[in-house]
Amino acid sequence: MKVLNKDLIKVSEENAVHSGSFSFLELMKTAGDKASEIICENFSVKDKKIAVVCGNGNNGGDGFVIAENLKQKGAFITVITPLGEPLTESAKHYYGLLTTEKTNIFEESYDIIIDAVFGIGLNRNVNAEIISLFEKINNSASTVISIDIPSGVECDTGKILGECINCQLCITFIALKPCFMLPPATDYCSKV
C-alpha cells in the first residue's frame, strides 16, 4: 500500500468527485460501509454495547455510517458527539439518518469504542475537554478502534497534539499515512 500525506489524500478524494466517479456523500458511505465490514470481520458485534464517538467533520460522518451499519448487525449503539452536531454537509446528511441513541456525554462502559473524532485534518492541540475524553477512552477496558488515524495524531508528522487515542485497530482509507511510520504515533496503534 502507498503512503500519502494529508494533502495528497484530499487531492485523491477531490479528483474522484470531480471525475464523476463518486460524490462526497458516496465517498463517505463507501468508507463507512467498508470500515463496518472490517470491524465485523475482526470482532463480534451482535448484542455488544458499542460507542461511536464522532467529531463534527467528515471523520464523524464516517462514524455515523458505521453506527447505523453496526446497529443493523445487532449491536447496541450509542453515538457520542463531544464537539456537537456536524458541520460538513455530508456528515450532516448521515447524522440526520441516525436511528441510534445520541448524546454528547461519554459515561458508560462499552464493549467496543469506535473513535471517529478527528481525521487527517487535525493541526492543533486538542482542548482540555477532549484530552479528558481521550484519557477516559484510553483507560477503559473496551476494545478501541480508530477510523482513518487515531484521533489526536498529526497525520504527516506523527506528533501527538495534546493527547491521542490508543487503539487496538485502525481502519484507514485510500493509502497509509506518514503517522503510521513515525514515532511517537507508532506507539498508539497496534494494527492498521
Side-chain angles (χ1 to χ4, degrees):
M1 189 177 230
K2 295 184 230 179
V3 177
L4 297 177
N5 67 20
K6 67 182 174 186
D7 291 337
L8 291 173
I9 294 290
K10 288 178 182 178
V11 167
S12 297
E13 292 173 342
E14 289 168 6
N15 286 344
V17 170
H18 295 310
S19 73
S21 300
F22 295 95
S23 67
F24 282 115
L25 272 178
E26 290 169 326
L27 280 176
M28 187 170 283
K29 179 85 166 82
T30 300
D33 287 349
K34 188 60 182 170
S36 302
E37 285 177 32
I38 293 168
I39 291 166
C40 291
E41 287 167 6
N42 285 275
F43 304 99
S44 170
V45 299
K46 186 170 175 28
D47 298 328
K48 301 290 185 184
K49 283 179 58 178
I50 300 178
V52 186
V53 187
C54 299
N56 56 12
N58 288 332
N59 196 252
D62 296 342
F64 302 144
V65 174
I66 293 165
E68 280 302 306
N69 288 342
L70 297 184
K71 181 181 179 189
Q72 298 305 313
K73 298 287 187 182
F76 300 107
I77 301 291
T78 301
V79 172
I80 301 169
T81 53
L83 301 173
E85 293 189 11
L87 301 176
T88 69
E89 291 307 312
S90 297
K92 285 178 186 178
H93 174 81
Y94 290 110
Y95 183 77
L97 297 177
L98 283 174
T99 61
T100 60
E101 178 187 352
K102 296 179 246 183
T103 182
N104 61 359
I105 300 167
F106 180 89
E107 305 185 322
E108 300 179 53
S109 60
Y110 300 95
D111 299 303
I112 298 172
I113 299 170
I114 298 171
D115 155 37
V117 181
F118 299 116
I120 62 173
L122 184 66
N123 59 7
R124 68 194 179 292
N125 280 347
V126 297
N127 65 34
E129 187 176 327
I130 296 299
I131 288 173
S132 175
L133 170 65
F134 288 179
E135 287 172 346
K136 286 177 187 173
I137 292 170
N138 290 339
N139 290 325
S140 75
S142 307
T143 296
V144 180
I145 302 165
S146 289
I147 304 304
D148 212 9
I149 65 174
S151 291
V153 169
E154 203 285 322
C155 177
D156 291 349
T157 67
K159 180 180 175 186
I160 307 306
L161 298 173
E163 180 66 69
C164 80
I165 295 294
N166 189 0
C167 63
Q168 285 79 49
L169 173 66
C170 184
I171 301 167
T172 198
F173 309 112
I174 301 174
L176 292 174
K177 282 62 176 188
C179 61
F180 294 125
M181 274 65 87
L182 298 170
T186 52
D187 295 334
Y188 291 87
C189 184
S190 300
K191 180 180 176 186
V192 179

